[in-house]
Amino acid sequence: MDLYSEDAARFVWEGAIPIQIRLHESQVTTLPPPPPVQILGPRIGYLPLLVSSIKPHFNDTLPPGSDSVWFEYKGLPLKWYIPTGVLFDLLCAEPERPWNLTVHFRGYPGETLTPCDGEDSVKWSFINSLKEAAYIINGNCKNVMNMSQPDQSELWQSFTKGNMDGYTRVSSKLKLGPFGEDSAVKITAGRIPIRLYLRILGDDVYHLEDVTAVESWDSISYINRPVEIHREEGEEGHYITFKKAMKCLLPEFFDDETSEPDHVFVQREDNDFDAANENSKITGAGAVMSCPEEQKCADLAFVKPHSTKKVNQIKLIRIQGIEVDLEIPFFWVVNNLKNPEYYLHICVYMGSSLNHA
Amino acid sequence: MENQKSFDGTLSADEFYIAANTLCEKWKSANTGLPDWTWVPYKRMPSGASYNDGYLSLESIYHIKFPKDPVKSRNLSEEDEEPVDSATLVHVPSNVIHAYDFHIAYSHSYRDPVLYFNGHRSDGQPLDLDEMQKDLPEYSQKLLTESKWTFITVEEHPYLHQPWYMLHPCGTSDWMKLLLHGRPDAADYLISWLSVVGQTVGLRVPISLVSSCAKHDSI
């Protein structure tokens, strides 16, 4: 399996979400109100970058004043610095098509959202993220800081136009990957930039269809912490599975998974079956680690055979709209599903349920 | 930091916690006349962490801009420590008294501390960047004009999830490496760091604190 596939990366770049945007009623000054606008929002893009396309549709009905644009989904103000695809994966448990958003041109919620002065804010938030990613990977951000003005401009223009080839031409100079033995840069150990969003579902949620809308960002945990890969003797870097990386990020949810694999990654029935089968192919290290855990669980069951306790379980892991198989190489996931600023954004849905210990 | 030869100016999350405790203790014993730094523990759900998660907080630092006296940082609640002419205060219009909160959080990306700050007027109204900019020392004002997007920007506070001003940490490890002369002591890291970073936002670290570290360093 090649650890980097241009085709896969292209799918990510071309991925878009059909969005239907209506103007918030408080800013409608004409009758009839303007119809909603349909637009394709690139997954890797950011919502404020859509403003120039939608503004003409609403311009004539806006009340007097200056614009401070923000978006909202079912009452929740959307953080503009999170890529559009990540917002969609995180806030729509069941994909909603078209995605119904509301745009506001007035009354910016400055208490909850960081200010946004249009494209410049987005550009610099993006470049600062790129810098952070470069620091994580290389231990410094010199390559990004020393980027020439034309390169910086080409990088940003290519990004906003969805021109992957133009972007790659500049970004490859930054030496930030891809990761893996057979790739040009050959990064086989080190740190990988991750942004992880954890959505905690209510107690009574058993199916994704029952998930209610997010009312506040307080119900979402955000972890911005790199995964560290230490290359061990006799262990190939690219054989680190996605599961092993997830275990680094959320150790408490992968503790007893070897004894009950189907409780960790609850998906459709058929996938459970696959996951159970795949378990036999875990690399040496994983198999060794599973033994004491299994023993521990067996002991617990023996001591408290009928006790029930509330446990948090991972219900779903989604990256770029895809439910990612836990057994595939982590480097494949990073190389192909990362966003252009070199961060891998992972959405995790977690639910609690009563479990027989 | 344990291996001095490879000291690269960064510190681990555990070392950050140790350094945070040292800063709190030494700040308190230095009788700065300012409020104390406190450690705010944070219980993440899920934690995903084996270290002590949390951040440092120093709140209600008053910044008074007198018409003729350019910049003075004082804490109004500690009047007996550093006498403040209350008669003068009465005449200070409320809109020139600005209160600042400072938080220091650990960045796993940069493996360095990051300074967050926020200001509000005495009536509780938050200050915007323009108002805050005027409270900054002159050289920081200049830097802020030159590099609007890479010096101080508004970011989501990593624990409070509200917009806070953040001093960009890129480059911290480079100058910390120089500052500590390759003789790192995890415990005193934050005091040395704050003595530099604090200046950029007008928060002065008492000289007694810094010199106590230097003494310790030379033993």
Side-chain angles (χ1 to χ4, degrees), chain A residues 103-160:
Chain A
V103 65
H104 297 246
F105 287 81
R106 304 283 183 270
Y108 197 82
E111 296 278 295
T112 46
L113 293 186
T114 61
C116 179
D117 299 331
E119 188 174 325
D120 257 2
S121 295
V122 181
K123 177 184 167 184
W124 284 101
S125 163
F126 179 86
I127 287 179
N128 284 331
S129 289
L130 183 66
K131 232 162 70 180
E132 192 172 336
Y135 192 95
I136 291 168
I137 296 167
N138 289 334
N140 65 69
C141 16
K142 290 186 184 91
N143 289 349
V144 179
M145 302 284 269
N146 298 341
M147 226 189 317
S148 71
Q149 208 59 48
D151 273 2
Q152 207 186 88
S153 160
E154 190 185 338
L155 190 86
W156 179 247
Q157 290 306 322
S158 308
F159 170 72
T160 54

Side-chain angles (χ1 to χ4, degrees), chain B residues 127-145:
Chain B
L127 299 174
D128 61 31
L129 187 57
D130 283 344
E131 290 172 293
M132 252 186 271
Q133 190 167 351
K134 287 173 194 141
D135 289 348
L136 290 173
E138 222 166 284
Y139 47 86
S140 292
Q141 290 188 24
K142 193 164 163 268
L143 201 54
L144 196 57
T145 326

Side-chain angles (χ1 to χ4, degrees), chain A residues 267-316:
Chain A
Q267 282 193 338
R268 293 178 294 272
E269 296 280 358
D270 50 351
N271 281 19
D272 279 353
F273 180 71
D274 284 348
N277 272 348
E278 293 278 318
N279 250 3
S280 56
K281 292 183 221 154
I282 298 179
T283 53
V288 172
M289 283 185 333
S290 69
C291 292
E293 289 297 335
E294 252 168 340
Q295 192 58 51
K296 203 168 80 189
C297 290
D299 287 350
L300 263 174
F302 178 73
V303 176
K304 293 174 100 183
H306 300 297
S307 69
T308 51
K309 62 169 185 170
K310 212 168 86 175
V311 290
N312 289 309
Q313 295 176 329
I314 290 174
K315 297 241 183 251
L316 174 70

Side-chain angles (χ1 to χ4, degrees), chain A residues 35 42 57 102 122 167 253 262-263 266 294 320 339:
Chain A
H57 297 271
T102 303
V122 181
Y167 188 89
F253 300 106
D262 51 345
H263 277 196
V266 179
E294 252 168 340
Q320 303 289 9
N339 271 51

